[in-house]
């Protein structure tokens, strides 16, 4: 049988909003991890840790989406504990806390799998099968006995397997795969009844948007903390801080006002969950990195080249992704070319100029605002 989620519009529950508090802690710690990145290996470790934390968070976000009012409180609180341990372990994830991070991740994944099972019924999430324990968890378990750098290679392998499972076995293939395994084991042992469930698209979109608000909020927190740590407040500090907040506001417009679920310029266009969720993860990871970089330009002169290119690269990546998503949403070829050109040329010029902090930030604000202006013009032309 196939279970729907009802036709009435749903919003995030108090339990879901409370659960998201652990995402606040995780995003903050991951932002600090970016701050200590000095090599490509460090950058890769950030990507793996962010994807692991986001995946663990998403497992219970999907559970709340499908279960609705029947969501059990105890497993959600257990997941919060596991995610909190993951967040706390991020600072030492390159050393002594790596094993703790992996154990907490595996525990959350196993707990997430258990919430879908009962004695007689096995619920299968058709749209995002990676929420249920599969081969992707095995490399994480093996990593408990591995040393660096192989433990991180195993983590990346496990996450890659989850993505492969999602793209290859979502939808009708998930149903066919379960039915095939049931036939193979029929007669040898009791087989639970399959209950195929789907995500509530509107509700999951709201949850993704709320996560992006948390990410943008981390950017605001980074800016205010950098101002607090600056002893002498003068005009350059105010210019840079106001520019950083303006950049975050412009990104809010791109990802939420003109986007969907935090994916830039997607508008109201619906994408399959197996595509939408990885795009959201990518966007959130880029914005967390950008938020970390903003703290390095507050109260300083010309930012280091690495910080400057981090900010420019993040804005360029969001713009290029947005140009593709806008084309998917039917915004038009001329619009996509304009946004992509601005996304490449603007940040590229800013990075090459090597200006001081406030100039870098305000020029990037102009880049994002220019994309918004082109979008508003496209919407006006479409309505005529």
């Amino acid at each position: 049988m196939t279970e729907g989620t009802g036709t009435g519009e749903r919003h995030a529950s108090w339990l879901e909003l409370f659960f998201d508090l652990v995402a606040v802690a995780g995003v903050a710690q991951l932002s600090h991890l970016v701050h200590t990145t000095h090599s490509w290996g460090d950058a890769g470790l950030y990507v793996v840790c962010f994807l692991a934390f986001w995946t663990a968070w998403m497992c219970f976000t999907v559970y709340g989406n499908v279960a609705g009012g029947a969501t059990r409180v105890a497993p959600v609180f257990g997941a919060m504990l596991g995610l909190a341990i993951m967040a706390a372990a991020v600072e030492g994830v390159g050393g002594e806390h790596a094993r703790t991070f992996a154990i907490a991740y595996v525990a959350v994944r196993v707990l997430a799998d258990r919430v879908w099972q009962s004695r007689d019924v096995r619920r299968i999430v058709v749209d995002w099968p990676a929420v249920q324990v599969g081969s992707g968890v095995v490399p994480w378990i093996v990593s408990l006995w591995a040393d660096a750098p192989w433990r991180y290679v195993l983590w990346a392998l496990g996450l890659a397997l989850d993505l492969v499972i999602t793209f290859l076995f979502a939808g009708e293939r998930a149903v066919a795969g379960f039915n095939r395994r049931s036939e193979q084991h029929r007669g040898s042992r009791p087989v639970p009844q399959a209950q195929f469930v789907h995500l509530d698209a509107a509700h999951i979109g709201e949850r993704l948007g709320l996560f992006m608000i948390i990410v943008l909020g981390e950017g605001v927190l980074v800016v205010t903390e950098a101002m607090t740590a600056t002893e002498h407040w003068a005009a350059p500090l105010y210019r840079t801080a106001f520019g950083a907040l303006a950049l975050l506001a412009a990104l809010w417009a791109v990802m939420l006002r003109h986007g969907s679920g935090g994916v830039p310029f997607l508008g109201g266009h619906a994408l399959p969950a197996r595509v939408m969720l990885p795009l959201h993860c990518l966007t959130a990871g880029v914005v967390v990195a950008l938020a970390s970089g903003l703290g390095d330009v507050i109260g300083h002169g010309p930012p280091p080249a690495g910080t400057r290119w981090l900010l420019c690269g993040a804005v360029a990546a969001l713009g290029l992704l947005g140009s593709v998503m806008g084309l998917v949403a039917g915004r038009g070829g001329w619009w996509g070319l304009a946004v992509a050109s601005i996304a490449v040329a603007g940040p590229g010029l800013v990075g090459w100029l090597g200006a001081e902090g406030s100039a870098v930030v305000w020029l990037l604000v102009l880049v994002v605002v220019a994309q918004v202006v082109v979008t508003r013009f496209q919407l006006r032309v479409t309505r005529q």
Side-chain angles (χ1 to χ4, degrees):
M1 61 177 292
T2 300
E3 179 185 275
T5 54
T7 57
E9 184 177 358
R10 287 176 52 207
H11 295 285
S13 66
W14 292 118
L15 178 60
E16 289 174 311
L17 294 175
F18 183 62
F19 173 72
D20 282 350
L21 291 178
V22 77
V24 177
V27 168
Q29 293 302 313
L30 289 163
S31 176
H32 295 158
L33 184 62
V34 177
H35 189 74
T36 59
T37 294
H38 302 292
S39 66
W40 286 109
D42 292 339
L45 181 59
Y46 161 72
V47 172
V48 169
C49 289
F50 182 89
L51 184 53
F53 186 88
W54 180 91
T55 299
W57 173 83
M58 181 54 64
C59 285
F60 277 85
T61 298
V62 168
Y63 170 56
N65 175 272
V66 174
T71 301
R72 289 181 284 163
V73 174
V76 174
F77 283 1
M80 289 185 69
L81 175 61
L83 284 164
I85 293 173
M86 289 179 66
V90 164
E91 185 175 355
V93 76
E96 60 179 342
H97 293 158
R99 185 171 284 105
T100 302
F101 185 90
I103 292 173
Y105 174 79
V106 171
V108 173
R109 291 297 306 273
V110 171
L111 181 60
D113 183 65
R114 296 297 299 173
V115 299
W116 302 102
Q117 301 183 34
S118 66
R119 178 176 299 180
D120 302 318
V121 177
R122 169 70 172 178
R123 288 187 291 174
I124 307 297
V125 184
V126 175
D127 302 315
W128 189 251
V131 302
Q132 292 161 310
V133 167
S135 55
V137 179
V138 175
W140 284 81
I141 298 174
V142 175
S143 76
L144 299 178
W145 293 273
D147 295 323
W150 292 108
R151 70 161 62 102
Y152 308 116
V153 173
L154 289 168
W155 292 4
L157 174 61
L159 295 167
L161 287 174
D162 280 335
L163 290 176
V164 169
I165 290 170
T166 295
F167 281 104
L168 294 184
F169 299 103
E172 294 181 358
R173 291 188 179 183
V175 177
F178 182 87
N179 290 335
R180 184 171 58 254
R181 290 190 297 271
S182 298
E183 288 296 329
Q184 292 173 351
H185 294 291
R186 193 175 302 279
S188 60
R189 63 181 180 179
V191 178
Q193 179 185 5
Q195 190 178 66
F196 302 109
V197 297
H198 296 270
L199 298 181
D200 182 322
H203 178 263
I204 199 70
E206 180 186 62
R207 301 285 281 117
L208 298 179
L210 289 172
F211 188 92
M212 193 59 67
I213 289 293
I214 291 172
V215 172
L216 292 172
E218 173 60 22
V220 175
L221 180 61
V222 167
V223 172
T224 55
E225 286 180 342
M227 291 185 67
T228 301
T230 304
E231 184 176 356
H232 301 291
W233 290 18
L237 173 68
Y238 288 108
R239 286 198 302 269
T240 308
F242 292 167
L245 295 175
L247 179 59
L248 292 171
L251 292 174
W252 164 83
V254 164
M255 296 185 296
L256 295 171
R257 188 169 187 179
H258 296 290
S260 177
V263 178
F265 294 124
L266 187 57
H269 189 77
L271 292 176
R274 65 180 182 273
V275 177
M276 182 67 178
L277 298 188
L279 287 174
H280 173 270
C281 180
L282 172 63
T283 304
V286 170
V287 178
V288 170
L290 181 145
S292 177
L294 289 176
D296 290 335
V297 300
I298 305 295
H300 299 84
T307 299
R308 185 174 70 251
W309 283 110
L310 170 65
L311 295 174
C312 293
V315 171
L318 293 172
L320 288 173
L321 175 63
S323 67
V324 175
M325 293 299 99
L327 291 176
V328 171
R331 295 189 184 276
W334 69 268
W335 174 91
L337 180 61
V339 169
S341 299
I342 295 170
V344 172
L349 180 62
V350 174
W352 178 76
L353 287 175
E356 56 99 15
S358 63
V360 169
V361 173
W362 277 107
L363 287 171
L364 291 178
V365 172
L366 291 177
V367 169
V368 181
V369 168
Q371 297 172 6
V372 174
V373 170
V374 171
T375 302
R376 292 178 65 88
F377 178 74
Q378 181 269 335
L379 290 173
R380 189 178 299 113
V381 170
T382 303
R383 294 187 184 120
Q384 289 178 352

